[in-house]
């Protein structure tokens, strides 16, 4: 008995020590979604589409219990390329991700940025949404035809504002609209803002003739009557904006949508990349995210990994092609 008792106690101690790792191999393991210290970078100012997407994703992920205490911070500049440069410099950092979209693709081209999205680790494309053509509530333009009739008379006198650099979605959409209306894109007076938040003040103050931005960015202001939506740029009307026609049904052959996603720094290990991807996969499937998608007028466009990387490459080629076609 004297020999067996110490052995039994030793065995029990081994079980106690070995037990917790076996029982807690969930979210803190390689197969979980918990990423302590995770940060989401927004490469433009607060209030824009990247900002709304990042903050919504962070809150939904926390509410769903996927991870905790995500820090969201803004690093604006040069259409998103300042943030992109910072992201690329964080080589191997699996606790940093950046909200981005077509605007960053265009900004890389228009700003001749030294770092491109090919230097990042693609994680996930999340959403797709239409742009809206909006004016302030005091604007003289009540319909899209009234706006375009005035625009045709003197394109340079009616500045159009967008929340992206040349080559980005808020630039390409009105240029395609101009082309469809018989206006030379080169004659358009486009004023870029660093995100939809900055653009909003200029639209409300009638400092631009009209603005073009994502549905989700201005839905609240449209519903509150601060902005008047004249048209949407996609293939069909938006559920929350039933009175706003598509450009196509208004007689202008334009079908344009924007998208947003997440990229991470280069040099991630396979485990780091997989964990970030898994976090967004589980976020995508959560009821919290589905509700936010509906509230913001976002369409599901989920794509991960290499497929998302291929998509980014195709989008870069598309921007170059469209700018060339428009003579820009």
């Amino acid at each position: 008995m004297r020999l067996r008792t110490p052995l039994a106690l030793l065995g029990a101690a081994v079980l106690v020590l070995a037990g917790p790792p076996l029982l807690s191999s969930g979210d803190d393991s390689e197969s979980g979604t918990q990423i302590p210290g995770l940060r989401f970078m927004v490469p433009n100012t607060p209030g824009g589409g990247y900002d709304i997407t990042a903050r919504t994703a962070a809150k939904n992920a926390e509410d769903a219990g996927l991870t905790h205490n995500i820090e969201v911070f803004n690093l604006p500049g040069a259409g998103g390329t300042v943030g992109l440069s910072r992201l690329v410099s964080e080589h191997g950092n699996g606790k940093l991700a950046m909200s981005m979209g077509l605007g960053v693709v265009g900004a890389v081209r228009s700003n001749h940025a030294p770092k491109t999205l090919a230097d990042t680790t693609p994680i996930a494309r999340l959403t797709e949404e239409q742009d809206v053509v909006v004016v302030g509530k005091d604007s003289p333009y009540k319909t899209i035809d009234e706006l375009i009739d005035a625009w045709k008379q003197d394109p340079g006198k009616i500045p159009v504002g967008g929340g992206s650099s040349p080559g980005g979605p808020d630039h390409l959409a009105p240029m395609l609209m101009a082309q469809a209306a018989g206006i030379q894109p080169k004659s358009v007076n486009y004023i870029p803002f660093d995100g939809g938040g900055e653009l909003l003040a200029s639209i409300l103050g009638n400092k631009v003739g009209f603005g073009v931005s994502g549905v989700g960015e201005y839905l609240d202001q449209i519903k509150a009557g601060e902005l008047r939506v004249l048209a949407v740029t996609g293939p069909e009307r938006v559920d929350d904006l039933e009175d706003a026609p598509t450009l196509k049904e208004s007689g202008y052959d334009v079908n344009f949508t924007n998208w947003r996603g997440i990229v991470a720094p280069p040099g991630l290990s396979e485990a780091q990349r997989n964990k970030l991807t898994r976090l967004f996969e589980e976020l995508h499937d959560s009821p919290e995210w589905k509700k936010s998608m509906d509230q913001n007028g976002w369409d599901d466009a989920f794509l991960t990994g290499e497929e998302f990387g291929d998509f980014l490459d195709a989008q870069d080629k598309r921007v170059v092609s469209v700018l060339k076609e428009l003579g820009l």
Side-chain angles (χ1 to χ4, degrees):
M1 290 294 293
R2 289 178 181 175
L3 290 173
R4 291 173 62 190
T5 301
L7 288 173
L9 290 171
L10 178 60
V14 169
L15 287 173
V16 168
L17 291 171
L22 293 173
L23 294 172
S24 63
S25 61
D27 283 342
D28 287 328
S29 72
E30 288 188 1
S31 62
T33 58
Q34 295 288 336
I35 306 176
L38 179 61
R39 308 173 79 209
F40 288 168
M41 183 199 302
V42 177
N44 61 13
T45 54
Y50 301 152
D51 188 67
I52 294 170
T53 302
R55 293 182 191 280
T56 300
K59 185 178 187 307
N60 289 170
E62 291 175 359
D63 289 348
L66 300 177
T67 193
H68 298 91
N69 301 319
I70 302 172
E71 179 191 349
V72 181
F73 68 100
N74 297 77
L75 186 62
T81 56
V82 170
L84 175 62
S85 179
R86 162 72 180 276
L87 186 83
V88 173
S89 74
E90 295 275 346
H91 190 277
N93 186 353
K95 297 181 184 242
L96 179 65
M98 186 178 85
S99 175
M100 49 72 71
L102 180 56
V104 176
V105 178
V108 166
R109 284 290 173 182
S110 62
N111 294 324
H112 307 289
K115 302 298 181 184
T116 75
L117 289 165
D119 297 314
T120 70
T121 300
I123 300 298
R125 184 183 70 185
L126 298 176
T127 64
E128 184 178 47
E129 70 171 341
Q130 303 193 41
D131 268 357
V132 286
V133 180
V134 292
V135 294
K137 63 181 180 180
D138 299 323
S139 169
Y141 310 119
K142 303 291 194 293
T143 68
I144 188 66
D145 284 333
E146 288 180 3
L147 170 63
I148 288 184
D149 285 345
W151 201 20
K152 279 183 175 180
Q153 291 177 28
D154 194 343
K157 270 197 170 182
I158 299 181
V160 51
S164 59
S165 296
D170 300 349
H171 172 250
L172 293 179
M175 293 302 165
L176 291 169
M177 190 168 82
Q179 184 186 51
I183 299 169
Q184 285 293 327
K186 283 186 176 180
S187 69
V188 172
N189 181 11
Y190 177 76
I191 301 177
F193 294 83
D194 205 352
E198 282 192 0
L199 169 62
L200 179 61
S202 289
I203 301 173
L204 293 174
N206 293 316
K207 293 179 180 177
V208 293
F210 66 101
V212 178
S213 196
V215 171
E217 293 177 70
Y218 292 159
L219 200 54
D220 288 344
Q221 288 82 6
I222 292 168
K223 288 181 176 180
E226 294 298 313
L227 293 178
R228 180 185 305 134
V229 57
L230 303 184
V232 296
T233 65
E236 54 190 33
R237 296 192 182 204
V238 176
D239 287 344
D240 286 331
L241 304 172
E242 292 90 350
D243 293 336
T246 67
L247 286 171
K248 196 152 192 173
E249 71 180 279
S250 301
Y252 309 101
D253 191 13
V254 176
N255 181 357
F256 182 87
T257 56
N258 187 18
W259 56 268
R260 296 192 180 93
I262 300 290
V263 293
L268 298 193
S269 67
E270 185 177 358
Q272 288 174 316
R273 185 180 68 247
N274 288 344
K275 197 158 196 176
L276 274 170
T277 302
R278 190 162 47 249
L279 171 63
F280 283 96
E281 286 173 342
E282 296 203 19
L283 172 67
H284 169 259
D285 293 338
S286 71
E288 290 84 357
W289 180 250
K290 293 180 190 302
K291 182 179 179 182
S292 292
M293 292 265 293
D294 184 59
Q295 289 176 337
N296 286 293
W298 296 336
D299 294 321
D300 189 12
F302 196 65
L303 196 66
T304 61
E306 289 185 10
E307 289 183 331
F308 181 38
D310 291 342
F311 172 80
L312 290 177
D313 183 57
Q315 287 290 286
D316 182 56
K317 291 180 172 66
R318 178 194 176 206
V319 165
V320 173
S321 174
V322 172
L323 289 174
K324 186 175 180 181
E325 178 189 337
L326 294 172
L328 302 171

